[in-house]
Amino acid sequence: MTDRSRSPYRSGRRGPGKGGGQPGRPAPAPGTAVRRVAYDVLRAVQERDAYANLLLPAKLKDRGLDGRDAALATELTYGTLRRQGTYDAILDACVDRSLSSVDAEVLPLLRLGAHQLLSTKIPPHAAVSATVNVARRAVGQHRARFANAVLRKVGARDLEAWTGIVAPDRTADPAGHLAVVHSHPRWVVEALAAALGDDLAGGLAETESLLAAHNERPGVTLLAKPGRASVADLVEGGAQAARYSPHAAYLAEGDPALVREVRQRRAAVQDEASQMVALALARVRAKGADARWLDACAGPGGKSALLAGLAGQRDARLLSAEVQPARAGLVASAVERSVRDAARVVVADSTRPAWRDGAFDRVLADVPCTGLGALRRRPEARWRRTPETAGELAPLQTALLERALDAARPGGVVAYVTCSPHLPETSGIVEPVLAARADAELLRAADHLPEVDGVAAGRDGMYAQFWPHRHGTDAMFLALIRKRG
């Protein structure tokens, strides 16, 4: 964290605050307004762990930015977050003292300027001048001069030249090299390499492909809620039928909210891998009754929306449980008007369930996790965790899987799902739980995903693991477990 008290760049005179100007000053030019939105989001992410995907749309609306301006603000925000680690290594070489001594208010400006200079087609003089204009309004003239000086040093070389200088040698330190070049913490690079089974001695070639995929702008995938919309409806509106899910379509461009079916809540944005893990649970052959389904960690409701439609088509019923009331409200909205009104939503803690054991035929436990599988969409997540904090969720993940198994009847099936490929959150949870129980057996998950190549993972290929660089999806993990009886 930045130690403001030691910063050599602090001015005794404070600049204007977040408001973007002082009385008597002219309104900012459009280019400055766009960069001010990006800066405000970057600063909020850094200082209070705000979520860019939630804050940015609100900022754009508040500042009245749309069209090209909104698109540029979005690119500047997400591009800077994705490449933050690379830019920090370069900035550290351009600051006379340690980068950790730079004010917390200034650092997002330097990263924002570096992104424009090194990864966009914005002319260098425009990138520097517009960013310095934001600095004058946001942090004052003194620190704006400092930002100007640093960014001029950054602009003296291109990205390839800079990474050749600041990145460790690939042969001597492949993980360290990839961490700088592809902007991930070293521990994340090593964790992803372990999940892929990629060998350090081989230079981590597949790991590099994955890291590169994390830094690409992801496409938008839509879910046509079963019984309420069809893929044909979405294709008619300009989308393209998806590769794997029979309920998915890709939106090449434009705002999903402008799609008729999305406006009518008959379709929603949902990653294709998220759809496929829910479909896999629904595809397992039921032994006996198939009338009662449970989504034990339902918020914000994407998988519940799919399961509710499938359940309704089979005359089954879905109970969607969510511990946080606000998220339970999102689930209720997602499943509203499902086929046969199949879903019910409850505010409940699934580690201390209100339902009796053995009550359900199918159970989905999509547990809270580090989110390392969704780094394309939430690039800031890579900077929020450390090796120490990454394991903090393990007791909760274990408890949720154990209670999910308790909730399933003999012959029923449980899907354990994470949006993370990190081994301590995937097989590291499943295997100890199953080893301690005689009433559960692992099913081969890939057998229920026949349309997806290269998804089998883990010991004997019993798990399913999606990957951005292989499948164009988030890195969703799935274990399917049958309750013995």
Side-chain angles (χ1 to χ4, degrees):
M1 296 180 64
T2 302
D3 184 349
R4 300 187 190 184
S5 64
R6 295 189 295 106
S7 172
Y9 305 112
R10 288 190 63 80
S11 168
R13 179 184 173 198
R14 297 289 293 180
K18 286 183 170 184
Q22 291 179 336
R25 283 191 176 185
T32 302
V34 166
R35 288 163 178 81
R36 181 59 191 254
V37 166
Y39 167 71
D40 286 347
V41 175
L42 294 171
R43 184 171 169 183
V45 168
Q46 173 185 284
E47 295 185 0
R48 54 185 175 86
D49 281 345
Y51 290 91
N53 65 314
L54 300 179
L55 182 58
L56 179 59
K59 289 285 186 184
L60 293 173
K61 183 177 180 180
D62 181 60
R63 307 292 170 82
L65 297 179
D66 54 19
R68 290 186 177 181
D69 287 340
L72 177 57
T74 301
E75 159 55 27
L76 295 180
T77 301
Y78 281 97
T80 302
L81 289 170
R82 290 187 184 104
R83 292 287 184 176
Q84 177 179 308
T86 306
Y87 299 149
D88 280 2
I90 295 167
L91 290 167
D92 196 47
C94 295
V95 174
D96 292 337
R97 292 178 173 85
S98 169
L99 191 65
S100 63
S101 68
V102 174
D103 287 354
E105 300 96 329
V106 175
L107 188 54
L109 285 164
L110 299 182
R111 291 167 174 162
L112 177 62
H115 178 63
Q116 295 169 75
L117 287 166
L118 301 175
S119 299
T120 75
K121 295 181 180 180
I122 297 171
H125 69 276
V128 173
S129 63
T131 305
V132 171
N133 283 340
V134 174
R136 291 192 185 101
R137 293 175 175 274
V139 298
Q141 183 65 35
H142 177 75
R143 287 181 285 185
R145 287 197 295 269
F146 165 68
N148 180 66
V150 173
L151 292 178
R152 290 189 181 280
K153 291 182 182 179
V154 172
R157 295 179 174 89
D158 64 16
L159 183 60
E160 183 178 1
W162 271 121
T163 54
I165 293 170
V166 302
D169 178 75
R170 178 159 191 167
T171 302
D173 183 7
H177 176 85
L178 295 181
V180 171
V181 171
H182 294 286
S183 185
H184 287 67
R186 173 192 282 270
W187 80 268
V188 172
V189 175
E190 293 171 344
L192 294 174
L196 284 164
D198 210 4
D199 188 2
L200 279 170
L204 302 182
E206 188 174 9
T207 302
E208 181 168 25
S209 295
L210 172 59
L211 302 178
H214 284 166
N215 289 330
E216 295 173 0
R217 184 170 59 186
V220 175
T221 303
L222 301 176
L223 165 69
K225 297 181 183 180
R228 299 207 59 210
S230 68
V231 170
D233 294 331
L234 300 177
V235 170
E236 185 180 343
Q240 177 185 356
R243 180 180 178 187
Y244 303 121
S245 172
H247 304 284
Y250 306 137
L251 189 64
E253 58 184 14
D255 183 354
L258 299 179
V259 176
R260 178 187 60 191
E261 288 75 16
V262 174
R263 291 199 311 272
Q264 296 171 347
R265 293 192 290 183
R266 298 189 294 123
V269 175
Q270 187 179 47
D271 182 73
E272 196 171 6
S274 293
Q275 298 182 37
M276 294 306 297
V277 296
L279 282 171
L281 171 63
R283 287 171 172 177
V284 177
R285 184 175 61 85
K287 294 182 177 180
D290 190 21
R292 294 171 296 186
W293 300 9
L294 171 67
D295 185 349
C297 312
K303 295 181 183 67
S304 274
L306 175 53
L307 290 174
L310 297 175
Q313 290 174 338
R314 301 184 194 180
D315 204 19
R317 294 293 179 265
L318 172 71
L319 181 66
S320 297
E322 170 55 45
V323 68
Q324 297 181 21
R327 286 168 64 86
L330 296 176
V331 179
S333 178
V335 302
E336 185 180 13
R337 298 180 64 188
S338 56
V339 177
R340 297 178 186 268
D341 194 24
R344 291 291 179 270
V345 181
V346 294
V347 177
D349 181 353
S350 292
T351 66
R352 295 181 294 174
W355 45 84
R356 60 180 173 80
D357 289 350
F360 296 97
D361 306 303
R362 301 181 192 270
V363 180
L364 173 64
D366 181 12
V367 302
C369 66
T370 58
L372 295 184
L375 296 184
R376 301 177 306 156
R377 304 179 192 283
R378 300 183 183 92
E380 67 269 28
R382 69 188 78 177
W383 312 114
R384 288 202 161 123
R385 299 285 184 180
T386 66
E388 294 73 30
T389 63
E392 292 175 350
L393 289 169
L396 175 60
Q397 293 164 341
T398 298
L400 286 167
L401 176 55
E402 289 176 339
R403 298 292 78 76
L405 289 167
D406 292 341
R409 63 162 176 81
V413 62
V414 173
Y416 174 83
V417 173
T418 66
C419 189
S420 171
H422 189 31
L423 294 176
E425 302 185 87
T426 58
S427 58
I429 299 295
V430 175
E431 290 174 8
V433 169
L434 295 187
R437 301 183 68 121
D439 64 346
E441 61 178 335
L442 197 62
L443 305 178
R444 183 178 169 84
D447 289 348
H448 303 279
L449 297 165
E451 59 273 84
V452 187
D453 293 330
V455 76
R459 187 187 309 170
D460 301 321
M462 295 298 287
Y463 306 121
Q465 178 66 67
F466 288 83
W467 294 105
H469 65 298
R470 291 184 189 173
H471 306 109
T473 68
D474 290 346
M476 301 292 299
F477 169 87
L478 168 67
L480 290 174
I481 306 165
R482 174 85 73 183
K483 186 81 169 286
R484 287 194 175 109

